[in-house]
Amino acid sequence: MTPNEALPLAVLASSLLPGLLIFALPEERVGLRTTLNLLGAVAKVVLIAALLAGVAAGEEYGFRYRVLPGLDLVFRADALALLFVSLSALLWFFTTLYAIGYLESGPHRSRFFGFFSLCVTSTMGIAMAGNLFTFFVFYELLTLSTFPLVAHRGTPQAMRGATVYLAYTLLGGTVLLTGIVWLHSLAGHTDFAQGGFLGVLAAHHDATLRIIFVLLIAGVGVKAALVPLHGWLPQAMVAPAPVSALLHAVAVVKAGAFGVVRIVYEVYGVEFAQALGLLLPLAVIAAITIVWGSLRALFQDDLKKRLAFSTVSQVAYIVLGVALFGPVGTIGGLVHLVHQGIMKITLFFCAGNYAETLGIHKVSQMDGAGRRMPLTSLAFTVAALGMMGAPFTAGAVSKAWLADGARTAGMDWAVWVLSVSSLLNAAYFLPIAWRSWMRPGPRVWPQEHIAARGWRETPWLLLLPPLVTALATLLFGVFAHAAWSPLSWAQLIAQREYVP
Amino acid sequence: MTDPLPWLVVLPLAWASVAFLLGPGRGAVLAAFGVALQCALAFELAARVQAAGALRYAVGGWGSPLGIDWYVDGLAVLMLGLTQVVALPLLLYARSYFGHAGAAGRYFWPLAGFLIGGMNALFVSADLFNLYVTLEIVGLAAVGLVAAGGGAAQLAAALRYLFATLLGSGAFLLGVALIYGACGTVSIELLGPLLAGEAPRAVYVAVVLMSVGLFLKTALFPFHYWLPPAHGGAAVPVSALLSALVIKASFYLLLRLWLDIFAPLVQPLAWLPAVLGSAAILWGSWQAVRAEHLKLLVAWSTVAQIGYLFLAFPLLATQAAALDAVVFQTVSHALAKAAMFAATGVVIHVTGNDTVAGVAGVAQRLPLTLFAFALAGVTLMGLPPSGGFLAKWLLIDAALAEGAWPLVLVVLLGGLLAAWYVFRVLRQAFLLAPPTEVAVRAPRLMEWSALLLAAASVALGVRGIELARLIAPVGAS
């Protein structure tokens, strides 16, 4: 095995092995568990830094393993994979910190962190999958490893959320499997290729390929929470805050959106998908999802539910970018994959802090929260402004590129969709910010768990992650054109995708 | 080294007899050593078959048509290996389950030995009459194992089972007699060319009789009525042996006959098993979804999982992947079902409650066992990475290549229903339960043998290529 084969496997192993070890740990070994968790998370970030440097220099990383004749597990760390891998790995690191702080006193921590690591391993597998077979293996593994996390609290309410989640994702998985096996039996393989691999089948199988496209997109659309397949996401918000972060930013919805990217660009190829007339319907579905998610968010009083509907809307931006035919839209969609993750994870970290510190679960309880918890509220406000697309934030960069992409693709209606969505975003985020900063707080908080001690409004493990991700929201916006920014990397991918 | 094959048949019969004399305590140790040795023998045999192709033996030097013939090819050696590999952890489990005394334990060891010996002989027998004899040995030993539980319900289930198995082997014997009358031989090797051309009408009747007899023994829908009470009521190690291995023996025989000498005669009928299999999947899964008792849920799941084996029959003639699918389903179901029964046994032992509702809180009390149950469930649902997933993939692939959409839909629907009944248990296990006063400790050996079996069924999804190689036609890579 050469180093270039071993590196992608090492990325998988850096969360798989700690996860398996953690399962075996007794509950009270807090120190060892934390060490394992952080060791894995740091190792993963280091390994990925090596991969990033290599891929930027034109190296190729991949590993192929024969499961059955004609059926291979393929891992490939290409530029697109690394976009998702580095996002997940970085956010995983911060989510781990946050989860250690959040669950310090809770029960079943070995189980929680074990599945947590499995979940991230599955995400890495999804990102680095080199064919649809491998993608599917890890896609289903992700479903299985997130179920215990959503169900973690063991209350009837948590079980209901977990069951709804499972029903949606397993049905989606079944549909996806149908599409993948069908494609496999037509093409003989499912290996991703830049520019797609189905062009050769054209003419004979146009109708079949359209049906398969619908099956594949419906399959990944469940996790990407495209309307009308989004019903599980607001239900799953019963999960603990670190799990919500995982669902909304690091792993699950991202896996769905990433699946759309791979299917459009590397299975069908964007030209071929356009020729089959598949991109416009996809763009329309994305547009409907964007508007519908924002509209529903407007009427939620539950903070996490409002954020969940916001995710429905924001993830569809990525799909919209993919469906806009042309490199500009592609760049917009891909960069939003990262930007949405960073901003949304900030919001969920903050929502978790409000709930853990003061017992605030509803928007209507937010009055005065800014004065009691200024740092958390600052992070929340920055991320919310980013979601609206305010200047100097990462969100502004995504929206500008998406709007440009829509114009170059001649789909001006999409620009209108984006504007309406920005207005709606403002309409559901600004009142929260207004309440927390401008209104006076109540005499007694709903459930004050942690008393204020100077500037330390809440334990630093809960405070540090949202502050860092909020800072990243600003940095990625201000320094969008720096060599290390997600935007530059997205441009690199688009360049390789369109100029093979 | 001497030839492993005769020992695979003689050894279990030998330790069964000695175990009966020694009693359950030392008998159990002897049985475990015996099966461990058989495992090594089976692997040695597999290596020989892999290297030299199928082997034919003339027992006692007589050869057919006079003597007894044995024939070992990839499929046979695979079943031999599977039987020993699944039996070993189950016997260790049983040693812990039965403790050192008790009437049930007393008869378990000798009967298990006869059961395994009978199955090993069945896999390698090359003539129809011999196959009948081995089938009868397996059936009677299995009935004995169910009855050995001693309870009234177990005796009733055993009687029902006895009736089904006698009827099945009776039909089989009648078929063998008709074929002997028509063709003058019972050797599979000699019958091949005789049945390939114009076959007399009696042979058709024989084919139907033998097939129905084997359907009955394999518990294919609608002949499954005896299975849930027998598998759901027996002692846990017995349920595991029966569900994982015994029904596979009669299935193996059916597959052999349909692939080989019956192939020219049954071609127009190939859809029948698939239709019955579909009904089995849907009905069995639905009953599992509704079952209130844990063991009954697992037993109904067996009825459903057998259905997948038959689904591939119309595809066998044209699609090479179909046979792979059958093999993967056979092996992964054997491992997963043994694991699931074993895990269920631990849960019932610790909670003292055999209902699905009683599982609440098991996630806290028995994480290892629940993990084993969940892993086995992953295989049964056909989710990756597991042997069950590969079986499902291969089956859908083969069905799509033939344009057999109804089969695809049944497979997918069956997977969802399986998820329903598996997660019914898992979500119940995750619920918080009131703390219990009496803490029964789970025997380590039982927990780990369940986990080992379950992990093997999952690992098959990553490392299964040897199985495909073993049954691949000689010369193919």
Side-chain angles (χ1 to χ4, degrees):
Chain A
M1 194 185 286
T2 65
N4 282 15
E5 286 180 332
L7 212 48
L9 294 185
V11 170
L12 286 175
S14 62
S15 47
L16 181 64
L17 296 181
L20 294 179
L21 289 175
I22 286 170
F23 273 126
L25 281 185
E27 207 49 40
E28 60 277 1
R29 301 294 298 271
V30 182
L32 185 55
R33 187 169 48 236
T34 308
T35 315
L36 278 172
N37 264 323
L38 292 179
L39 217 60
V42 172
K44 194 183 285 298
V45 170
V46 171
L47 288 168
I48 288 167
L51 278 175
L52 280 170
V55 168
E59 285 278 332
E60 291 193 350
Y61 298 93
F63 179 75
R64 184 176 282 267
Y65 173 83
R66 175 136 292 191
V67 176
L68 282 180
L71 213 55
D72 294 348
L73 271 180
V74 182
F75 298 104
R76 229 181 42 181
D78 56 4
L80 181 57
L82 283 182
L83 184 79
F84 188 20
V85 162
S86 18
L87 168 78
S88 289
L90 270 179
L91 293 187
W92 181 46
F93 176 75
F94 289 113
T95 314
T96 305
L97 286 183
Y98 187 84
I100 292 169
Y102 190 92
L103 291 166
E104 198 49 76
S105 50
H108 313 309
R109 278 161 294 167
S110 281
R111 185 176 88 200
F112 181 88
F113 283 105
F115 281 113
F116 203 68
S117 304
L118 281 190
C119 183
V120 173
T121 309
S122 322
T123 311
M124 297 294 143
I126 290 171
M128 294 193 296
N131 60 15
L132 279 174
F133 173 72
T134 315
F135 180 86
F136 182 77
V137 168
F138 286 94
Y139 191 80
E140 293 295 74
L141 212 53
L142 181 62
T143 304
L144 292 174
S145 54
T146 35
F147 171 79
L149 295 177
V150 180
H152 182 70
R153 292 206 165 119
T155 59
Q157 201 194 8
M159 289 322 304
R160 206 174 317 119
T163 309
V164 171
Y165 171 63
L166 199 67
Y168 269 89
T169 44
L170 285 181
L171 270 170
T174 304
V175 174
L176 182 63
L177 178 67
T178 317
I180 293 177
V181 184
W182 201 351
L183 210 56
H184 184 260
S185 77
L186 278 185
H189 73 99
T190 55
D191 289 358
F192 297 139
Q194 265 163 16
F197 62 86
L198 294 179
V200 285
L201 291 175
H204 303 294
H205 298 289
D206 275 5
T208 314
L209 289 177
R210 283 198 190 98
I211 299 173
I212 294 176
F213 187 80
V214 172
L215 290 174
L216 295 177
I217 295 292
V220 294
V222 170
K223 282 218 171 90
L226 289 175
V227 170
L229 309 171
H230 65 290
W232 62 272
L233 192 55
Q235 293 283 325
M237 61 100 212
V238 295
V243 178
S244 294
L246 213 61
L247 293 178
H248 289 260
V250 185
V252 179
V253 294
K254 281 300 151 60
F258 187 76
V260 176
V261 177
R262 283 278 197 213
I263 290 164
V264 171
Y265 289 119
E266 306 210 323
V267 175
Y268 279 75
V270 70
E271 271 97 7
F272 184 51
Q274 174 79 347
L276 288 178
L278 296 168
L279 292 185
L280 185 63
L282 187 59
V284 170
I285 288 177
I288 292 173
T289 307
I290 290 174
V291 176
W292 178 251
S294 296
L295 277 175
R296 289 296 307 272
L298 209 48
F299 299 104
Q300 306 300 325
D301 188 31
D302 190 303
L303 185 58
K304 282 179 83 180
K305 239 182 189 158
R306 186 175 286 199
L307 293 179
F309 276 109
S310 157
T311 302
V312 172
S313 162
Q314 293 279 335
V315 170
Y317 279 46
I318 304 168
V319 180
L320 180 68
V322 171
L324 294 175
F325 180 63
V328 185
T330 306
I331 293 169
L334 290 177
V335 80
H336 199 58
L337 188 89
V338 177
H339 289 168
Q340 187 270 348
I342 289 176
M343 298 186 290
K344 189 44 66 72
I345 206 168
T346 314
L347 293 173
F348 270 103
F349 283 154
C350 294
N353 284 359
Y354 289 133
E356 277 305 284
T357 316
L358 302 176
I360 292 177
H361 293 278
K362 293 187 166 124
V363 175
S364 52
Q365 298 166 333
M366 288 285 292
D367 291 357
R371 293 178 207 178
R372 169 66 174 76
M373 301 176 66
L375 291 174
T376 301
S377 300
L378 186 68
F380 189 93
T381 311
V382 166
L385 286 171
M387 283 288 179
M388 289 178 248
F392 306 116
T393 62
V397 179
S398 318
K399 285 200 179 169
W401 280 83
L402 283 172
D404 258 5
R407 269 186 232 107
T408 36
M411 288 149 91
D412 285 341
W413 56 269
V415 182
W416 282 101
V417 170
L418 291 170
S419 318
V420 169
S421 167
S422 290
L423 279 180
L424 288 170
N425 290 344
Y428 63 78
F429 274 128
L430 284 181
I432 305 178
W434 172 264
R435 275 173 181 274
S436 68
W437 294 111
M438 299 303 179
R439 294 268 196 97
R443 194 167 297 244
V444 193
W445 297 102
Q447 248 187 316
E448 193 163 0
H449 297 288
I450 301 161
R453 270 185 294 161
W455 58 272
R456 281 180 59 189
E457 54 197 50
T458 199
W460 69 273
L461 275 176
L462 296 185
L463 198 53
L464 184 71
L467 286 176
V468 173
T469 48
L471 184 66
T473 307
L474 289 174
L475 289 179
F476 289 163
V478 176
F479 299 103
H481 292 282
W484 45 264
S485 74
L487 180 64
S488 306
W489 195 260
Q491 283 167 330
L492 176 81
I493 297 169
Q495 200 180 9
R496 289 184 181 176
E497 216 51 70
Y498 279 87
V499 195
Chain B
M1 184 175 161
T2 55
D3 200 326
L5 182 59
W7 292 106
L8 273 171
V9 178
V10 173
L11 204 58
L13 300 179
W15 62 251
S17 313
V18 180
F20 180 68
L21 297 175
L22 287 178
R26 278 176 297 171
V29 179
L30 185 69
F33 275 112
V35 177
L37 194 56
Q38 285 158 233
C39 273
L41 291 172
F43 279 108
E44 164 68 18
L45 189 63
R48 289 188 185 198
V49 170
Q50 184 85 294
L55 306 169
R56 188 174 286 282
Y57 293 76
V59 177
W62 286 96
S64 72
L66 286 177
I68 294 175
D69 257 10
W70 281 350
Y71 177 73
V72 193
D73 60 0
L75 194 57
V77 85
L78 185 127
M79 294 302 294
L80 281 172
L82 175 68
T83 304
Q84 323 309 317
V85 166
V86 174
L88 182 58
L90 282 182
L91 289 191
L92 294 175
Y93 180 92
R95 186 171 139 69
S96 178
Y97 181 89
F98 288 119
H100 293 284
R106 181 170 179 76
Y107 297 112
F108 177 80
W109 303 103
L111 284 171
F114 285 118
L115 185 79
I116 295 169
M119 281 197 287
N120 288 354
L122 187 149
F123 295 137
V124 297
S125 290
D127 75 69
L128 293 178
F129 184 73
N130 243 310
L131 283 169
Y132 161 73
V133 173
T134 52
L135 203 58
E136 203 69 287
I137 295 175
V138 171
L140 291 177
V143 170
L145 281 169
V146 174
Q154 284 158 332
L155 280 180
L159 268 181
R160 236 188 334 171
Y161 185 20
L162 180 66
F163 180 67
T165 192
L166 286 183
L167 202 62
S169 37
F172 188 84
L173 181 61
L174 200 55
V176 175
L178 283 173
I179 286 186
Y180 186 66
C183 304
T185 180
V186 288
S187 155
I188 289 178
E189 191 190 9
L190 299 179
L191 277 172
L194 288 176
L195 299 184
E198 280 292 294
R201 187 166 301 160
V203 170
Y204 282 95
V205 178
V207 167
V208 171
L209 277 171
M210 291 163 81
S211 300
V212 170
L214 292 172
F215 285 165
L216 186 63
K217 278 183 162 280
T218 315
L220 175 63
F221 183 93
F223 307 107
H224 64 281
Y225 65 95
W226 59 267
L227 188 144
H231 290 194
V236 171
V238 175
S239 307
L241 275 174
L242 298 190
S243 250
L245 298 175
V246 172
I247 47 168
K248 304 288 163 45
S250 49
F251 173 77
Y252 163 83
L253 186 46
L254 189 73
L255 182 72
R256 263 262 115 99
L257 296 176
W258 278 51
L259 277 179
D260 193 355
I261 54 172
F262 290 178
L265 310 173
V266 294
Q267 202 48 45
L269 285 177
W271 273 99
L272 183 71
V275 170
L276 296 181
S278 306
I281 291 171
L282 300 180
W283 178 248
S285 304
W286 179 241
Q287 290 299 319
V289 165
R290 294 181 23 161
E292 277 180 21
H293 291 267
L294 263 184
K295 283 185 69 191
L296 219 48
L297 181 148
V298 184
W300 274 111
S301 149
T302 299
V303 172
Q305 295 283 328
I306 293 165
Y308 288 101
L309 298 173
F310 288 94
L311 230 43
F313 272 62
L315 311 169
L316 283 172
T318 46
Q319 296 294 326
L323 185 60
D324 287 344
V326 170
V327 164
F328 270 92
Q329 173 66 12
T330 307
V331 176
S332 54
H333 175 252
L335 292 165
K337 195 45 66 75
M340 198 173 250
F341 263 121
T344 307
V346 178
V347 170
I348 294 173
H349 176 77
V350 170
T351 61
N353 188 335
D354 75 335
T355 60
V356 175
V359 176
V362 162
Q364 301 160 54
R365 296 180 64 190
L366 294 168
L368 203 63
T369 297
L370 188 71
F371 198 53
F373 189 96
L375 283 183
V378 167
T379 300
L380 296 186
M381 289 183 259
L383 286 184
S386 70
F389 168 63
L390 288 185
K392 193 160 138 181
W393 175 288
L394 290 165
L395 196 54
I396 297 176
D397 208 15
L400 279 175
E402 288 287 296
W405 275 98
L407 295 185
V408 177
L409 290 181
V410 168
V411 173
L412 295 174
L413 198 59
L416 288 174
L417 285 169
W420 192 348
Y421 64 71
V422 170
F423 275 102
R424 233 188 104 207
V425 178
L426 292 183
R427 58 166 282 174
Q428 191 68 23
F430 265 93
L431 284 180
L432 299 170
T436 41
E437 322 74 55
V438 270
V440 183
R441 286 200 50 206
R444 277 266 175 91
L445 191 59
M446 284 165 75
E447 284 205 284
W448 279 99
S449 43
L451 188 67
L452 186 74
L453 284 163
S457 77
V458 169
L460 190 65
V462 187
R463 193 103 191 107
I465 198 161
E466 277 82 4
L467 291 191
R469 275 201 202 119
L470 203 53
I471 58 156
V474 183
S477 61

